[in-house]
Amino acid sequence: MGNNEKEKEKEKPNYIYAFNKIFTGSYLIYNLGNEMINFIKTDDNGSKFGNKRLVYINPYGERGKDAAKKTEYVLHVMETTYGDNNYYELIAISKVAQVLDKKTNTYINEPTFYDSKKLTGTINERSKYEKENVNFSGKFLGKVFDDSKAHLCSFIAEALYIPNQNTHFYFEKNNSEEVTQDLEKVHTKDNENDIFIINLGCNLTGSRNLCYSRDKDLTILDQIVKSEYKKEVVENTIELPKTDEQCLAVICDRTNLEDSTSNQIAYFLSRDKELLTNFIEMLNKHTDNTIEPNKEFKISREDNHIDILLQSDTDLIVIENKIDSHINGTKKSNKKKKDSQLSSYYNYAESFGINTHYYLLKPKYNSITKVELRNNYENGDKYSIIDYEDLYKAITKPNSYTNNNDPRKVFLYEQFVEGIKYVKSTKAEQMREIAYIRLKQRLDELGNKTSNS
């Protein structure tokens, strides 16, 4: 065997880790995707497949003979952005269940009714699951996920794990010669988030929904599945949302529009004194220069292009709202730091001659950091970062909207709150929430009026 052939041999997949791309494409905007199977647990009804976690891999649940024998973990990943780059983020890990093969005295994947002779699922295959009462929330799983072209189950799972809250594993989209070997060496802190950016030898690029690990990936992948940065999902099943409807901002695809969100924030702050007080008290937790919350404030939009400007007789509050975008209006200068919209707003606000306060509002997935503001932008050190999580907590405290008998006011405010809740979530959480609503809608269509009340 020549050197080239040896190199090709080394590059062959080992199938131990499968990378399963989930929540992809526009199909999921209006349909229930079968990948939701990975996040549920079947009904505990005493059947062979009762109280089980299943694994579904895209596309159509297909797996080859090598994968059937060798796969030990399925890493569910989703395409996302962090900073100015695109990655695949680790959403969950399914540990494939193993059983002892008495003939060979080795552990093999626990068998399913998977028909390996067929590229897609068959009626006969699904009928076996139905006979075994493989149900979810009282309904046959094959009716909940009714794509007859797809296998219902690729593997049986022994356990399901998710990253800890505020922990993000980002896999590089392009396979690299320099494969990450030490998890802690790529561990960085971004505000309160634990960030890992990992290079792999396998190829996660393109339109492929599934790929497998290679030998040079095993060191880092073994560290991930054994790390303290993940936790097991121990609940019997998922907690379905209370409603089977999305909020208007999500339906209209307006959650990433900063102008729309800023308009709503300014509108409700100007309409409710209690809400404004809660908001000011939240800001005070992020600054040493205390703002008097009981003052009368004038609230403006786009005054000198400032997203939200609040002015009392003693204080001026500048709020720059960033959702998906970065710092704009940068200019070339002889200074070490860049002039930008931040310095423009600072110069304008300082001309008022009263106490000034500067904030940048953003969700966690926006990569702007305090260090970046301080080191790269003129007057950037004057801005405190406010997370959308903080805003969400402030607007969900009691106020006249939350204690109101006017159904229209209650509806409008709830829509505003749900929109902010969506923005504060990670991209993965956003897609998962949509998928959960789709699942609830499907159960309701089948006559199972699920309620968490």
Side-chain angles (χ1 to χ4, degrees):
M1 185 181 292
N3 288 335
N4 289 339
E5 291 177 334
K6 288 181 180 179
E7 287 299 317
K8 288 181 180 178
E9 189 71 24
K10 289 180 181 178
E11 291 302 311
K12 283 185 177 180
N14 53 44
Y15 298 99
I16 295 174
Y17 290 90
F19 289 86
N20 180 35
K21 297 180 187 177
I22 60 173
F23 303 142
T24 61
S26 59
Y27 176 85
L28 293 174
I29 297 176
Y30 301 106
N31 300 277
L32 174 62
N34 280 30
E35 54 260 62
M36 271 302 298
I37 290 171
N38 297 296
F39 299 95
I40 67 177
K41 213 173 191 182
T42 59
D43 293 348
D44 189 3
N45 53 15
S47 70
K48 176 182 177 181
F49 291 91
N51 197 33
K52 292 277 190 180
R53 292 197 179 278
L54 309 180
V55 184
Y56 177 89
I57 56 177
N58 282 314
Y60 299 116
E62 296 173 12
R63 58 169 171 76
K65 292 181 179 179
D66 288 324
K69 295 177 182 177
K70 300 177 182 179
T71 300
E72 298 179 15
Y73 293 92
V74 178
L75 277 62
H76 307 288
V77 298
M78 176 185 163
E79 190 168 7
T80 190
T81 57
Y82 175 69
D84 297 325
N85 299 310
N86 295 321
Y87 299 98
Y88 286 103
E89 182 173 3
L90 178 63
I91 307 304
I93 303 170
S94 293
K95 184 178 181 181
V96 176
Q98 306 276 311
V99 294
L100 183 64
D101 185 344
K102 294 181 180 179
K103 292 181 180 180
T104 61
N105 199 35
T106 58
Y107 282 92
I108 60 172
N109 291 342
E110 185 173 341
T112 72
F113 290 132
Y114 186 97
D115 187 351
S116 60
K117 296 179 181 179
K118 302 290 183 181
L119 291 178
T120 55
T122 65
I123 295 175
N124 183 52
E125 181 180 320
R126 284 178 171 249
S127 66
K128 291 179 180 178
Y129 287 109
E130 188 167 19
K131 187 176 180 180
E132 287 287 342
N133 293 317
V134 184
N135 296 340
F136 173 69
S137 204
K139 298 297 177 183
F140 170 49
L141 199 64
K143 289 184 178 178
V144 179
F145 300 92
D146 60 349
D147 187 346
S148 60
K149 296 182 295 183
H151 295 281
L152 194 58
C153 173
S154 310
F155 299 102
I156 306 294
E158 178 182 315
L160 178 70
Y161 302 93
I162 58 174
N164 295 340
Q165 186 176 12
N166 299 333
T167 296
H168 303 276
F169 295 96
Y170 296 120
F171 297 110
E172 292 276 10
K173 292 190 69 173
N174 294 309
N175 57 324
S176 171
E177 290 297 322
E178 188 177 345
V179 175
T180 302
Q181 297 294 314
D182 190 334
L183 193 61
E184 287 304 321
K185 283 189 176 179
V186 295
H187 179 204
T188 59
K189 280 279 190 181
D190 181 353
N191 294 331
E192 297 178 355
N193 297 306
D194 292 298
I195 304 294
F196 301 87
I197 296 179
I198 298 159
N199 294 319
L200 295 172
C202 59
N203 193 350
L204 283 168
T205 59
S207 58
R208 299 166 60 195
N209 291 301
L210 180 70
C211 74
Y212 294 96
S213 57
R214 300 184 179 179
D215 287 345
K216 54 189 174 183
D217 299 319
L218 295 183
T219 299
I220 191 64
L221 295 178
D222 286 346
Q223 291 175 48
I224 291 173
V225 300
K226 295 174 183 176
S227 79
E228 60 184 13
Y229 299 102
K230 66 162 187 19
K231 61 184 178 182
E232 184 174 0
V233 180
V234 295
E235 300 88 4
N236 285 336
T237 188
I238 63 174
E239 183 179 352
L240 291 174
K242 293 180 179 179
T243 177
D244 60 356
E245 298 291 353
Q246 296 173 341
C247 69
L248 285 171
V250 175
I251 294 172
C252 300
D253 194 23
R254 301 188 68 82
T255 53
N256 64 338
L257 300 180
E258 291 161 2
D259 279 350
S260 175
T261 309
S262 296
N263 284 340
Q264 293 176 66
I265 295 169
Y267 174 82
F268 285 106
L269 290 180
S270 66
R271 294 278 292 150
D272 187 89
K273 179 63 177 175
E274 289 179 88
L275 177 62
L276 178 59
T277 298
N278 294 339
F279 183 78
I280 297 296
E281 288 175 348
M282 179 270 291
L283 295 181
N284 277 332
K285 293 179 181 179
H286 294 268
T287 181
D288 295 330
N289 192 1
T290 304
I291 308 164
E292 174 53 57
N294 295 319
K295 292 275 189 174
E296 291 294 326
F297 281 90
K298 174 187 174 184
I299 302 173
S300 306
R301 282 275 291 120
E302 295 298 331
D303 185 339
N304 194 53
H305 306 295
I306 295 170
D307 285 336
I308 304 173
L309 189 69
L310 296 86
Q311 181 183 356
S312 71
D313 59 346
T314 57
D315 295 277
L316 193 70
I317 304 169
V318 173
I319 298 175
E320 175 60 19
N321 184 19
K322 294 293 183 186
I323 298 180
D324 286 330
S325 66
H326 214 71
I327 306 301
N328 300 320
T330 56
K331 302 174 183 177
K332 291 183 179 179
S333 71
N334 296 325
K335 303 174 184 176
K336 290 183 179 179
K337 299 179 183 179
K338 301 174 185 175
D339 280 321
S340 69
Q341 59 183 158
L342 302 182
S343 51
S344 173
Y345 303 157
Y346 175 81
N347 293 333
Y348 176 72
E350 291 300 308
S351 68
F352 281 71
I354 56 179
N355 295 326
T356 51
H357 317 267
Y358 303 90
Y359 301 94
L360 190 143
L361 174 66
K362 74 177 191 71
K364 280 188 172 66
Y365 56 81
N366 186 304
S367 63
I368 298 172
T369 66
K370 293 178 182 178
V371 174
E372 180 185 4
L373 294 180
R374 183 176 65 246
N375 293 344
N376 297 349
Y377 298 99
E378 193 71 24
N379 305 123
D381 58 331
K382 305 297 190 302
Y383 287 78
S384 299
I385 290 181
I386 306 295
D387 195 280
Y388 261 85
E389 179 75 38
D390 300 314
L391 173 62
Y392 178 75
K393 289 177 181 177
I395 64 175
T396 50
K397 287 183 177 180
N399 58 66
S400 68
Y401 276 100
T402 60
N403 297 290
N404 201 289
N405 294 322
D406 185 337
R408 180 170 177 172
K409 283 190 172 184
V410 172
F411 171 76
L412 286 173
Y413 193 73
E414 285 179 347
Q415 290 295 301
F416 167 58
V417 170
E418 287 301 309
I420 298 300
K421 179 181 178 182
Y422 184 88
V423 174
K424 84 176 182 67
S425 305
T426 66
K427 296 292 187 182
E429 289 169 344
Q430 291 171 359
M431 290 302 296
R432 191 162 54 214
E433 180 67 16
I434 291 174
Y436 282 10
I437 289 175
R438 296 278 178 247
L439 177 57
K440 190 174 191 304
Q441 290 171 344
R442 180 62 180 150
L443 292 171
D444 288 351
E445 288 171 8
L446 294 171
N448 183 17
K449 302 300 181 181
T450 306
S451 174
N452 289 324
S453 59

